[in-house]
Amino acid sequence: MTFAVTHDHWLALAQILFFVGLLGALLRRNALVVLMSIELMLNAGNLTLAVYGHRYAMAETHVIIFFLLAIAAAEAAVGLALMLNISRTHDTLNLDAMTSLRELL
Amino acid sequence: METLAFILTAVTLIGLALAVVFARRPVRSALALIAALLVVASAFAQNEAPYLATLQVLVYAGAIMVLFLFVIMLLNLGPEPRLGLPAAWGLRLSGAVVAMGTLIPGVLVASSPVVTQRVLDGSVGHIGALMFTRFPFAFESISLILLAAVVSAITLAMERPV
């Protein structure tokens, strides 16, 4: 435990977090869990911005993260309303069962 | 001390993220996600962003995750029979690995030293002043986006569409 923590360590942590979220978004079939994985990826992006803000001493990144939090709230509200709607019309949240747009082609 | 804090943050964050992805019950995923978001808040605090850490706890771990838990309760989701792997999961996995591999050069480039004279001021006052002097248009757009999101969420969740 003698190494000094640099910004690179934080960036690597954010990248690992993004990777885990990407795995969840690609490998899980439950739409709600996929939405949560996307939230993980969004947080990894926010963490990256905060680390760069610290590195270059720019508080502008904090303002951007503030806006991103608002956008995340909007995205979660719309996404969860979609989940309610889908479970009402399809009786499942399995992504493999949602093919009605594909069948239009 | 900083090193110890970073190692604790990293280990708990990665563990909780894996728990979100691999838990079989959606409720456990959501609870692990709440804990992970709190750890991200501590990461913000360690990067001298105390205001963002507060917002992360209030807005993300508070408001957004309550929405998630409400929906899980409304839908009454049980455990999945097994971790159902989707079709072509090997292709998806390798796609994720390749996508992350393309990001590694970015991290390596970032490791050059930075010389900056400024001091980061992450206080509420400074961020508020920046928000209303340099980003007023973005601030107003956010209010429009939130309004559109509220209207569309209500319309989508209604029993009978308008």
Side-chain angles (χ1 to χ4, degrees):
Chain A
M1 292 215 192
T2 49
F3 75 99
V5 178
T6 62
H7 292 129
D8 300 344
H9 294 104
W10 284 107
L11 289 177
L13 174 60
Q15 190 176 4
I16 293 172
L17 186 60
F18 191 93
F19 181 63
V20 175
L22 188 60
L23 276 186
L26 286 178
L27 291 179
R28 290 301 298 260
R29 294 295 83 202
N30 187 322
L32 212 54
V33 180
V34 169
L35 202 60
M36 288 189 233
S37 305
I38 293 173
E39 298 287 336
L40 272 183
M41 291 157 72
L42 204 60
N43 267 275
N46 278 351
L47 184 56
T48 311
L49 264 176
V51 172
Y52 273 113
H54 189 210
R55 180 179 156 93
Y56 293 104
M58 289 180 78
E60 283 87 347
T61 55
H62 294 186
V63 182
I64 295 172
I65 295 171
F66 176 87
F67 292 145
L68 283 174
L69 281 179
I71 290 180
E75 171 247 319
V78 176
L80 290 169
L82 271 173
M83 295 297 137
L84 284 178
N85 204 326
I86 287 168
S87 75
R88 202 182 295 139
T89 53
H90 288 70
D91 280 323
T92 177
L93 278 181
N94 192 327
L95 287 174
D96 288 334
M98 299 172 200
T99 54
S100 42
L101 274 181
R102 193 198 306 168
E103 284 155 6
L104 282 180
L105 291 175
Chain B
M1 196 58 214
E2 260 185 22
T3 310
L4 190 64
F6 173 78
I7 291 174
L8 272 178
T9 310
V11 169
T12 49
L13 188 51
I14 294 169
L16 286 167
L18 287 172
V20 172
V21 171
F22 292 108
R24 272 170 58 188
R25 288 171 185 268
V27 182
R28 291 186 185 162
S29 285
L31 292 177
L33 184 55
I34 292 176
L37 295 177
L38 292 176
V39 179
V40 172
S42 102
F44 281 157
Q46 288 172 64
N47 279 290
E48 293 182 29
Y51 178 51
L52 288 182
T54 317
L55 275 184
Q56 175 88 2
V57 174
L58 287 178
V59 176
Y60 236 122
I64 295 181
M65 289 317 294
V66 166
L67 266 184
F68 270 92
L69 287 174
F70 265 134
V71 169
I72 290 172
M73 285 194 303
L74 274 175
L75 298 181
N76 199 13
L77 294 176
E80 292 175 17
R82 273 181 52 235
L83 188 66
L85 282 174
W89 65 271
L91 193 65
R92 291 164 194 261
L93 187 65
S94 43
V97 171
V98 168
M100 293 320 292
T102 57
L103 289 184
I104 289 173
V107 177
L108 293 182
V109 166
S111 58
S112 56
V114 184
V115 182
T116 177
Q117 306 294 325
R118 286 172 299 178
V119 177
L120 179 62
D121 181 7
S123 64
V124 185
H126 188 223
I127 291 174
L130 268 180
M131 199 182 295
F132 288 108
T133 52
R134 291 198 52 187
F135 301 97
F137 181 72
F139 186 80
E140 296 298 333
S141 329
I142 284 292
S143 57
L144 268 184
I145 288 175
L146 285 174
L147 179 66
V150 168
V151 171
S152 57
I154 291 173
T155 317
L156 278 170
M158 262 194 300
E159 290 282 343
R160 283 173 302 160
V162 202

